[in-house]
Amino acid sequence: MSRIVVTGAAGQVGSEMVTALRSRYGQEAVLATDIKPPSAVMQPAFLLLDVTDAAAVSEIVREHEADTIFHLAAILSARGEAAPQAAWAVNMGGLYNVLEVALQEGCSVFTPSSIAAFGPSTPPDPTPQDTIQRPSTVYGVTKVAGELLCDYYFDRFGVDARGVRYPGLISHVTLPGGGTTDFAVEIYYEAVANGRYTCFLGPETQLDMMYMPDAIRGSIELMEAAPDRLIHRNAFNMTAMQVTPESLAAAIREHIPDFSIAYDVDPVRQGIADSWPRRIDDTAAREEWDWQPEYDLASMTEDMIVQLRSRD
Ligand code: NAD
Ligand code: AKB
């Protein structure tokens, strides 16, 4: 990895991935792209790019002389249910365009799947690495198809396409972009700003989560892992903790004792959350590329609150 193009760079993951990649590989080596205009931190190496435009994807990758593409552009679960056709067009069309240019230009590809690639018939606790995948959202359908397409491009053409199944990601740099796990970020922002939060999922809804620094470091470690150790290569289960709205609230009360949580359940997002695992088994990632999270619920909560307070 030495010259990198990042798609979806203005998003929750991309905004922190670009910073991490630039500090490791150099400012000019990492070209950030997104369909949205850049934030200041992306300059100078930022270009507008719609990943559904195959010619534009190809031109940008060629002109940057990239050897690696971090493909992060996507439409997430809740937004996808509001616009399923757009979710299919961006998530599948974008990935296809990226894999095709990777094949033509000899690039490696990192692209994340999600716990959304599982569905109601998947064993929920623990969810094995290799198991039933029949998701009930269009986002999940694109994630399963994307996992298979990455495997196909590797098996058939030798494209080095790697990826993980991220759980819900918690961060303080860029707000999440329309997912079901967004509550786990919003709760911290609201706790620091107002001391209370109204959650759109029920109190005991358990999901896998991870703090963004672990997600970024783990993703780069996977791309740097020795290829002969990778049995799966793509779609690794990856987790750091399991949380519920109640356990998040309890962790926040260690720092903000008066914090209160109320519930106003959104049936669409509750239905999506109920179809996802309660706990995924990430043994394959731990064995094949030494994945190990650094943050648990307590240490993540402490850092989130310090970081958000320091912005006020
Ligand atoms: P996000 O919604 O915050 O960011 C996605 C970015 O893609 C946005 O900046 C958006 O402008 C851009 N985008 C949308 N359509 C585009 C198009 N046609 N062309 C170019 N860019 C376009 O999402 P994120 O959280 O940063 O997710 C990044 C990746 O990680 C996605 O593949 C997502 O499925 C995956 N993931 C994220 C989470 C999470 O909790 N954030 C969990 C599991 C998987
Ligand atoms: C979402 O909730 O859609 C994402 C994800 C888990 O893929 N955060």
Side-chain angles (χ1 to χ4, degrees):
M1 257 202 309
S2 60
R3 298 207 42 94
I4 302 164
V5 167
V6 181
T7 73
Q12 189 193 3
V13 178
S15 54
E16 298 198 46
M17 189 69 82
V18 167
T19 307
L21 290 170
R22 283 184 175 162
S23 71
R24 195 164 176 83
Y25 297 101
Q27 288 291 317
E28 301 300 325
V30 182
L31 174 61
T33 72
D34 201 292
I35 200 169
K36 290 195 296 211
S39 62
V41 75
M42 296 287 170
Q43 298 292 8
F46 177 91
L47 289 176
L48 287 174
L49 173 65
D50 180 345
V51 293
T52 65
D53 181 343
V57 175
S58 175
E59 187 184 335
I60 279 178
V61 168
R62 239 182 305 113
E63 288 194 354
H64 188 62
E65 297 178 350
D67 58 30
T68 307
I69 305 168
F70 273 67
H71 176 51
L72 305 174
I75 292 179
L76 276 66
S77 59
R79 192 167 282 176
E81 287 314 291
Q85 293 83 358
W88 180 266
V90 171
N91 296 3
M92 292 316 302
L95 179 60
Y96 175 76
N97 291 340
V98 163
L99 289 170
E100 271 296 300
V101 73
L103 170 58
Q104 288 151 20
E105 304 299 324
C107 299
S108 300
V109 176
F110 173 80
T111 191
S113 182
S114 162
I115 52 171
F118 300 114
S121 53
T122 302
D125 189 358
T127 297
Q129 173 67 39
D130 301 305
T131 187
I132 300 163
Q133 291 184 265
R134 297 190 64 79
S136 50
T137 62
V138 69
Y139 173 64
V141 171
T142 66
K143 287 301 177 188
V144 178
E147 292 178 5
L148 295 172
L149 199 61
C150 287
D151 282 347
Y152 180 78
Y153 269 73
F154 174 67
D155 292 337
R156 178 76 203 273
F157 303 122
V159 173
D160 186 8
R162 305 186 189 186
V164 297
R165 295 180 184 128
Y166 285 142
L169 300 178
I170 297 173
S171 66
H172 56 81
V173 173
T174 302
L175 282 166
T180 303
T181 61
D182 293 11
F183 75 95
V185 180
E186 293 169 3
I187 193 171
Y188 288 102
Y189 277 75
E190 291 299 314
V192 169
N194 302 314
R196 75 182 87 89
Y197 177 60
T198 301
C199 187
F200 58 77
L201 296 184
E204 298 305 333
T205 310
Q206 181 179 306
L207 292 165
D208 284 282
M209 297 284 167
M210 184 182 296
Y211 198 29
M212 191 63 85
D214 276 337
I216 299 293
R217 177 183 51 80
S219 304
I220 295 171
E221 284 173 3
L222 171 60
M223 291 307 284
E224 292 179 344
D228 55 1
R229 285 191 63 197
L230 301 179
I231 298 162
H232 288 86
R233 180 169 298 269
N234 163 35
F236 283 97
N237 284 359
M238 186 190 192
T239 190
M241 65 191 88
Q242 293 75 38
V243 309
T244 64
E246 281 295 296
S247 71
L248 281 170
I252 289 169
R253 273 189 212 106
E254 295 288 323
H255 304 269
I256 305 172
D258 292 339
F259 174 69
S260 66
I261 186 164
Y263 294 92
D264 181 11
V265 171
D266 167 15
V268 173
R269 285 177 287 183
Q270 184 68 55
I272 295 172
D274 289 344
S275 76
W276 290 352
R278 288 171 53 79
R279 177 193 310 267
I280 58 173
D281 177 354
D282 61 4
T283 306
R286 289 170 190 258
E287 289 180 353
E288 292 176 38
W289 48 279
D290 304 324
W291 159 241
Q292 186 69 51
E294 286 178 1
Y295 287 90
D296 61 13
L297 177 55
S299 53
M300 175 185 72
T301 299
E302 182 175 356
D303 198 55
M304 277 294 285
I305 290 173
V306 167
Q307 297 292 340
L308 290 172
R309 278 182 173 152
S310 74
R311 290 152 48 127
D312 292 342

